[in-house]
Amino acid sequence: MKRIFAFLIVAICFASSVYAQEPNMSVYGRKSPFKNGKMMKFFKSLHYSDELMIGVGIDSRSQFSFGDEFVAYYRFGDTLAVGLGIGLQGCSKLDNEHYFHQTDEASRTYSMALFMPIFIRATVSPFRFGDWKPFARCDVGGAIRLSHGQGGGFAFAPALGTDFKVNKLNLFFALSYQWMQTAYTYDEYLGQPAQEVSSSASALMLHAGINF
């Protein structure tokens, strides 16, 4: 089901991009909304960013994370931007631990889980200091687990960072706190059955990217 959902998202994005390139096409005999230029102006007014991220877990449920995120956003003046983002993220996740050894690191088993975060991002940047423009932002959405197993759900990530220019490149870096729903399994131990437990994972993430 998750793979079907991911395929539909990709298909919709592809169809939208093709449709946007044909301003005079019609749908079921009606004129395209792109013909009057309003929708074209909207798409041309969008900005985009792509960023790489890497981080370390700050709880016992995770160890490290890495990934990439792409965001399309619209600017409201020079201080506020709101956009929609999608990404791919790998996270080490606590798979199991014994009932009576929850604090024993030797009894724990970690594996890599692959997620697709989908989120809304709001960014506020009221100040500018030359080529440097500090910002505060927050991502709110969810994460679909693509790899085998349980986990994934609601996620949010507030961040502080700054935009800056190097030659003609609009770059940025940020530090975020990421919280995400996940799950882990208690192994069968001393006659107790194995049990799937909903939990959460949090991490500090370092982001570096480009605006274009």
Side-chain angles (χ1 to χ4, degrees), residues 36-126:
N36 59 19
K38 291 182 179 180
M39 293 298 293
M40 289 299 295
K41 286 183 179 179
F42 172 77
F43 280 104
K44 288 181 179 179
S45 67
L46 291 178
H47 300 266
Y48 305 92
S49 69
D50 187 70
E51 63 192 76
L52 297 174
M53 55 186 182
I54 188 169
V56 293
I58 55 177
D59 57 28
S60 62
R61 304 298 174 198
S62 58
Q63 290 181 317
F64 67 92
S65 302
F66 61 91
D68 181 86
E69 291 179 340
F70 178 83
V71 180
Y73 59 94
Y74 182 82
R75 285 194 174 278
F76 298 88
D78 196 43
T79 60
L80 175 64
V82 178
L84 180 64
I86 189 170
L88 193 64
Q89 183 174 353
C91 307
S92 65
K93 185 186 75 69
L94 179 60
D95 277 340
N96 57 67
E97 59 181 328
H98 296 307
Y99 278 108
F100 304 104
H101 294 79
Q102 297 184 31
T103 59
D104 181 7
E105 189 66 29
S107 69
R108 298 176 177 180
T109 301
Y110 292 86
S111 68
M112 186 59 62
L114 188 63
F115 295 91
M116 182 176 67
I118 302 174
F119 54 89
I120 295 174
R121 171 174 293 175
T123 305
V124 178
S125 51

Side-chain angles (χ1 to χ4, degrees), residues 1-208:
M1 185 66 184
K2 295 176 182 177
R3 293 183 179 179
I4 294 174
F5 183 73
F7 174 79
L8 288 176
I9 293 176
V10 174
I12 291 171
C13 292
F14 177 78
S16 299
S17 65
V18 172
Y19 187 67
Q21 294 173 7
E22 299 293 339
N24 295 320
M25 69 183 293
S26 61
V27 180
Y28 302 113
R30 291 181 291 180
K31 291 183 179 180
S32 166
F34 292 97
K35 192 171 183 178
N36 59 19
K38 291 182 179 180
M39 293 298 293
M40 289 299 295
K41 286 183 179 179
F42 172 77
F43 280 104
K44 288 181 179 179
S45 67
L46 291 178
H47 300 266
Y48 305 92
S49 69
D50 187 70
E51 63 192 76
L52 297 174
M53 55 186 182
I54 188 169
V56 293
I58 55 177
D59 57 28
S60 62
R61 304 298 174 198
S62 58
Q63 290 181 317
F64 67 92
S65 302
F66 61 91
D68 181 86
E69 291 179 340
F70 178 83
V71 180
Y73 59 94
Y74 182 82
R75 285 194 174 278
F76 298 88
D78 196 43
T79 60
L80 175 64
V82 178
L84 180 64
I86 189 170
L88 193 64
Q89 183 174 353
C91 307
S92 65
K93 185 186 75 69
L94 179 60
D95 277 340
N96 57 67
E97 59 181 328
H98 296 307
Y99 278 108
F100 304 104
H101 294 79
Q102 297 184 31
T103 59
D104 181 7
E105 189 66 29
S107 69
R108 298 176 177 180
T109 301
Y110 292 86
S111 68
M112 186 59 62
L114 188 63
F115 295 91
M116 182 176 67
I118 302 174
F119 54 89
I120 295 174
R121 171 174 293 175
T123 305
V124 178
S125 51
F127 308 108
R128 179 183 291 275
F129 303 96
D131 289 336
W132 297 78
K133 191 175 184 181
F135 62 79
R137 76 185 192 196
C138 187
D139 298 345
V140 178
I144 302 171
R145 179 157 180 169
L146 302 179
S147 57
H148 176 72
Q150 301 296 318
F154 177 75
F156 73 92
L160 294 174
T162 183
D163 296 319
F164 62 98
K165 289 188 176 182
V166 176
N167 295 326
K168 295 184 179 181
L169 297 177
N170 296 313
L171 307 178
F172 67 90
F173 64 82
L175 181 66
S176 72
Y177 167 78
Q178 184 183 76
W179 184 93
M180 180 172 61
Q181 285 183 333
T182 183
Y184 64 95
T185 304
Y186 279 122
D187 278 343
E188 182 179 350
Y189 188 71
L190 296 180
Q192 298 286 346
Q195 181 182 2
E196 185 77 18
V197 179
S198 296
S199 185
S200 63
S202 54
L204 287 177
M205 305 292 293
L206 181 64
H207 307 251

